[in-house]
């Protein structure tokens, strides 16, 4: 019996180790499969994280448009001068610099087709920044330019078919948002959340009229009625289309202009857009309005022809006080240059033709 029963216990005992080894191998096989593919899973996780991050950033932009972003950053950097003016087409940014003298002589409204103030020519920035030292406030507004700047299209960063390298690059670009943009977006509650003032659906002439009205309404609220308008040659016709019909002949005192402005300064900075004769007739329609017509070096045949045409139309329209001035090459103008030749000539013109004249007109109305 012992010889016959001996093999059975051995067979029974040997089954349990085999079953244990089988269960152990079954449990360890998923871990082995995971351990064999760490790099593939890591790359997939990185790509998913990058695309998810880009999607979140694109869903909640800091600014509703590029134009609002640019103007918001300027307003944050120049918070002492920045003014958001309400218009029917949205809010527009203006730079208002109050007087720095004991007596305020008036205000110069600078209108230029640069679209954004950071693109202003240094000649205009020199006037805007330094005239307040001599009693003249300045209000600068950038008007829509005639030719819109082309904005390069960006590739879609959230596309499902984008490669890992492009997704990572876009993620880094989104993460590199300058800290001042974040500060500008959260620091001021006056920054507009939306604006249609630069919408292509609105005609440029309509926008210009809206901007000009907003400028004069802003100054009227401040009680500043003694204004001089400075504009470049690409906008002079559109602006005087709005203002010239509001100027009436003053038979009582020809030195006082009966209208929204007391003098006009035209800066011929855009030589590629000369003013034609029909437009000049509108610009010089108010014969009692003093005009300072500025031309800048270098001199060429086109400029000589333009100067002759301007002078001829002004004489034919019987403009009482028309002055044409050629500014020769000057050292580079900077904001700190408060003794530039241009600044002195503009100051002298406004001092003679526009300083305090609205007070005289008001006193005459009171006596009557």
């Amino acid at each position: 019996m012992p010889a016959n029963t001996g093999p059975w216990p051995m067979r029974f005992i040997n089954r349990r180790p085999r079953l244990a080894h089988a269960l152990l191998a079954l449990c360890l096989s998923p871990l082995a499969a995971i351990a064999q593919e760490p790099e593939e899973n890591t790359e997939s996780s990185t790509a998913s994280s990058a695309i998810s991050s880009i999607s979140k950033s694109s869903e909640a932009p800091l600014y509703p448009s590029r134009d609002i972003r640019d103007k918001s950053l300027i307003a944050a950097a120049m918070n002492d001068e920045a003014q958001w003016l309400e218009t029917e087409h949205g809010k527009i940014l203006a730079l208002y610099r109050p007087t720095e003298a004991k007596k305020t002589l008036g205000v110069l409204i600078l209108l230029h087709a640069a679209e954004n103030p950071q693109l202003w020519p240094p000649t205009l920035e020199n006037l805007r920044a330094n005239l307040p030292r001599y009693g003249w406030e300045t209000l600068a507004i950038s008007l829509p330019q005639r030719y819109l700047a082309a904005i390069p299209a960006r590739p879609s960063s959230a596309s499902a078919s984008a490669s890992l390298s492009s997704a990572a690059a876009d993620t880094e670009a989104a993460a590199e948002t300058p800290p001042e943009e974040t500060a500008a977006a959260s620091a001021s509650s006056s920054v507009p959340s939306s604006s249609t003032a630069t919408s292509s659906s609105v005609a440029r002439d309509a926008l210009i009229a809206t901007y000009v009205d907003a400028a004069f309404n802003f100054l009227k609220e401040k009680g500043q009625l003694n204004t001089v308008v400075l504009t470049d040659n690409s906008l002079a016709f559109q602006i005087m289309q709005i203002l010239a019909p509001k100027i009436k002949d003053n038979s009582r005192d020809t030195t006082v202009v009966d209208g929204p402005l007391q003098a006009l300064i035209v800066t011929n900075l855009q030589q590629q857009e000369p003013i034609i004769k029909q437009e000049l007739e509108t610009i010089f329609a108010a014969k009692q309005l003093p005009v300072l017509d500025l031309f800048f070096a270098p001199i060429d045949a086109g400029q000589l022809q333009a100067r002759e045409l301007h002078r001829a139309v002004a004489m034919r329209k019987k403009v009482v006080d028309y002055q044409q001035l050629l500014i020769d090459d000057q050292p580079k103008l900077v904001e700190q240059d408060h003794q530039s030749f241009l600044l002195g000539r503009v100051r002298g013109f406004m001092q003679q033709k526009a300083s305090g004249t609205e007070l005289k007109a008001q006193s005459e109305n009171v006596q009557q």
Side-chain angles (χ1 to χ4, degrees):
M1 290 295 297
N4 295 332
T5 59
W8 289 104
M10 290 299 296
R11 291 180 182 177
F12 179 77
I13 293 173
N14 288 341
R15 285 181 181 177
R16 301 187 61 183
R18 292 177 182 175
L19 182 60
H21 284 298
L23 293 175
L24 181 60
L26 182 63
C27 294
L28 293 179
S29 59
L31 297 177
I34 294 175
Q36 291 176 359
E37 301 176 351
E39 295 182 358
E40 182 180 353
N41 291 338
T42 303
E43 293 178 357
S44 176
S45 176
T46 303
S48 300
S49 175
I51 295 176
S52 176
S53 175
I54 294 170
S55 299
K56 291 181 180 179
S57 63
S58 62
E59 291 175 0
L62 289 176
Y63 304 99
S65 67
R66 181 188 296 268
D67 179 67
I68 294 298
R69 181 201 65 182
D70 293 344
K71 289 181 170 60
S72 299
L73 294 177
I74 294 171
M78 308 178 69
N79 56 353
D80 293 337
E81 303 177 18
Q83 300 286 336
W84 290 102
L85 307 184
E86 292 281 357
T87 73
E88 61 179 313
H89 300 301
K91 291 186 177 181
I92 61 174
L93 177 63
L95 300 180
Y96 174 68
R97 196 150 183 164
T99 183
E100 300 172 9
K102 293 181 179 179
K103 182 179 179 181
T104 300
L105 303 176
V107 58
L108 177 66
I109 305 176
L110 298 100
L111 304 170
H112 184 70
E115 192 69 36
N116 290 315
Q118 71 270 22
L119 301 177
W120 275 49
T123 50
L124 300 187
E125 179 60 22
N126 178 255
L127 296 175
R128 188 196 74 82
N130 291 286
L131 279 172
R133 297 168 59 96
Y134 305 99
W136 288 93
E137 300 181 342
T138 58
L139 178 67
I141 299 179
S142 295
L143 302 185
Q145 54 191 349
R146 178 177 296 181
Y147 308 106
L148 298 178
I151 301 176
R154 291 183 177 181
S156 176
S157 59
S159 176
S161 61
S163 63
L164 175 62
S165 59
S166 62
D170 290 340
T171 304
E172 292 177 1
E176 289 176 357
T177 301
E180 60 268 20
E181 291 193 12
T182 305
S186 59
S188 175
S189 59
S190 62
V191 174
S193 58
S194 63
S195 174
T196 59
T198 57
S199 173
S200 58
S201 62
V202 182
R204 180 171 179 259
D205 289 347
L207 288 179
I208 292 174
T210 300
Y211 285 32
V212 172
D213 290 342
F216 279 93
N217 291 336
F218 172 78
L219 294 175
K220 185 177 180 181
E221 292 176 358
K222 289 186 169 295
Q224 182 55 269
L225 305 177
N226 187 45
T227 61
V228 178
V229 170
L230 181 148
T231 178
D232 67 284
N233 55 296
S234 67
L235 284 169
F237 170 66
Q238 287 84 355
I239 290 174
M240 291 309 296
Q241 269 189 317
I242 303 167
L243 299 178
K246 301 178 182 180
I247 300 176
K248 309 300 179 182
D249 289 339
N250 187 350
S251 58
R252 298 187 305 271
D253 187 353
T254 57
T255 62
V256 178
V257 178
D258 184 4
L261 71 163
Q262 294 298 311
L264 173 67
I265 302 175
V266 180
T267 59
N268 294 276
L269 293 171
Q270 313 290 340
Q271 295 189 15
Q272 74 279 8
E273 299 181 27
I275 308 175
I276 62 176
K277 183 177 66 174
Q278 291 78 6
E279 295 176 343
L280 288 170
E281 291 176 350
T282 299
I283 296 172
F284 299 143
K287 62 182 181 180
Q288 291 184 348
L289 180 69
V291 178
L292 179 60
D293 205 3
L294 296 175
F295 288 86
F296 300 86
I299 304 173
D300 56 19
Q303 186 192 94
L304 291 175
Q305 184 178 3
R307 288 165 58 187
E308 292 177 0
L309 178 61
H310 285 213
R311 188 186 303 275
V313 176
M315 295 302 100
R316 185 165 60 251
K317 299 296 291 186
K318 297 181 174 56
V319 178
V320 176
D321 196 338
Y322 172 79
Q323 302 180 26
Q324 189 177 110
L325 180 63
L326 174 63
I327 305 295
D328 295 329
D329 289 330
Q330 300 290 323
K332 184 177 180 180
L333 294 176
V334 294
E335 181 177 341
Q336 293 77 14
D337 185 5
H338 57 272
Q339 295 181 340
S340 68
F341 177 75
L342 175 64
L343 180 64
R345 294 307 300 264
V346 171
R347 279 181 53 210
F349 173 77
M350 294 193 301
Q351 183 78 24
Q352 294 177 3
K353 308 301 177 183
S355 59
T357 52
E358 88 288 350
L359 300 178
K360 183 177 179 181
Q362 288 179 0
S363 64
E364 289 181 353
N365 294 334
V366 171
Q367 291 176 1
Q368 292 179 356

